[in-house]
Amino acid sequence: DIVMTQSPDSLAVSLGERATINCKSSQSVLYSSNNKNYLGWYQQKPGQPPKLLIYWASTRESGVPDRFSGSGSGTDFTLTISSLQAEDVAVYYCHQYYTTPRTFGQGTKVEIK
Amino acid sequence: EAQLVESGGGLVQPGGSLRLSCTAAGFTFNTYEMNWVRQAPGKGLEWVSTISNGGGNTYYADSVKGRFTTSRDNAKNTLYLQMDGLRAEDTAIYYCARQSSLAYWGQGTLVYVSS
């Protein structure tokens, strides 16, 4: 199974400052035939289902603010919130859909400092 | 816009059975892989199962293999999760989600396994 490990587990950032979340997979999720990383990032607010932010590791989902960006390849990935807003308080998850069993990171809780 | 609505959750005793449904609207259901993902109270996300767009291929987490069965009725735009032999550790909100990237999620249905 591919193990997804996020860091940190929680993060407190001042409004307007940058938030960075890391995700490391135990095996590469890069499919060589199409050069795509099968990695997504999701935001979950209390009492709501998760929402897709980023797919293919770096493609922003339609309607997602451009302060959210994804980067990385192979086994190391990053979600960056360039200027944290109050509405960004949530838990963020990475997820690999390269192979089954599909797996998620444990989640990173982002709060306002 | 794509919509997914889960139903069928509730309280069930250990060893019991439940069938969840996920009704889809706003997209061509039979062209998408579908997934079940669950979340235990206060915990993270756990992938449960995936079914191919035609229903011919299904995949399961080890934690549910042999107890849960995923199926779909493309004529009814509906995804199902048959859960047998339920255990306390299956207590969770169960979400259905569209495609491998989990681009759309339903609101979830709560399954509570307790005597």
Side-chain angles (χ1 to χ4, degrees):
Chain A
D1 298 4
I2 298 179
V3 177
M4 308 298 288
T5 304
Q6 290 181 227
S7 61
D9 290 334
S10 64
L11 184 60
V13 175
S14 300
L15 288 172
E17 295 300 306
R18 179 185 300 261
T20 301
I21 301 169
N22 299 300
C23 175
K24 187 174 184 65
S25 58
S26 61
Q27 302 171 41
S28 176
V29 298
L30 173 63
Y31 192 37
S32 56
S33 66
N34 60 9
N35 202 37
K36 288 184 181 294
N37 288 281
Y38 284 59
L39 188 285
W41 287 99
Y42 307 82
Q43 175 193 65
Q44 188 177 33
K45 298 180 179 179
Q48 297 184 18
K51 172 188 174 184
L52 175 66
L53 298 175
I54 303 286
Y55 59 98
W56 302 135
S58 60
T59 302
R60 196 180 303 113
E61 174 72 335
S62 176
V64 172
D66 60 7
R67 64 180 180 273
F68 291 93
S69 64
S71 63
S73 184
T75 61
D76 291 278
F77 302 92
T78 300
L79 175 70
T80 301
I81 310 172
S82 60
S83 176
L84 191 75
Q85 304 300 304
E87 61 265 32
D88 301 334
V89 169
V91 179
Y92 293 83
Y93 295 92
C94 61
H95 165 245
Q96 67 81 17
Y97 46 100
Y98 178 81
T99 188
T100 58
R102 309 271 173 87
T103 45
F104 289 90
Q106 78 276 19
T108 296
K109 187 174 185 178
V110 174
E111 299 173 309
I112 305 295
K113 185 187 292 183
Chain B
E1 184 180 335
Q3 289 190 345
L4 297 168
V5 178
E6 301 93 339
S7 60
L11 172 63
V12 60
Q13 292 188 337
S17 297
L18 214 52
R19 188 176 84 153
L20 306 184
S21 299
C22 167
T23 302
F27 64 96
T28 306
F29 182 68
N30 64 10
T31 64
Y32 288 95
E33 166 192 295
M34 294 296 296
N35 303 272
W36 288 102
V37 176
R38 68 184 181 183
Q39 186 169 37
K43 303 297 184 183
L45 301 171
E46 180 188 14
W47 171 79
V48 173
S49 179
T50 293
I51 186 167
S52 59
N53 64 311
N57 294 298
T58 52
Y59 310 88
Y60 300 94
D62 284 347
S63 57
V64 307
K65 200 173 294 181
R67 300 186 299 123
F68 289 11
T69 303
T70 295
S71 61
R72 63 193 295 164
D73 185 337
N74 284 342
K76 294 183 177 180
N77 288 347
T78 303
L79 171 72
Y80 301 101
L81 183 66
Q82 176 66 43
M83 303 186 295
D84 300 318
L86 283 161
R87 305 167 179 167
E89 54 265 34
D90 296 318
T91 293
I93 296 173
Y94 285 73
Y95 297 101
C96 60
R98 193 188 87 175
Q99 74 198 77
S100 57
S101 61
L102 310 178
Y104 290 93
W105 298 64
Q107 290 297 310
T109 187
L110 176 63
V111 172
Y112 186 54
V113 184
S114 175
S115 54

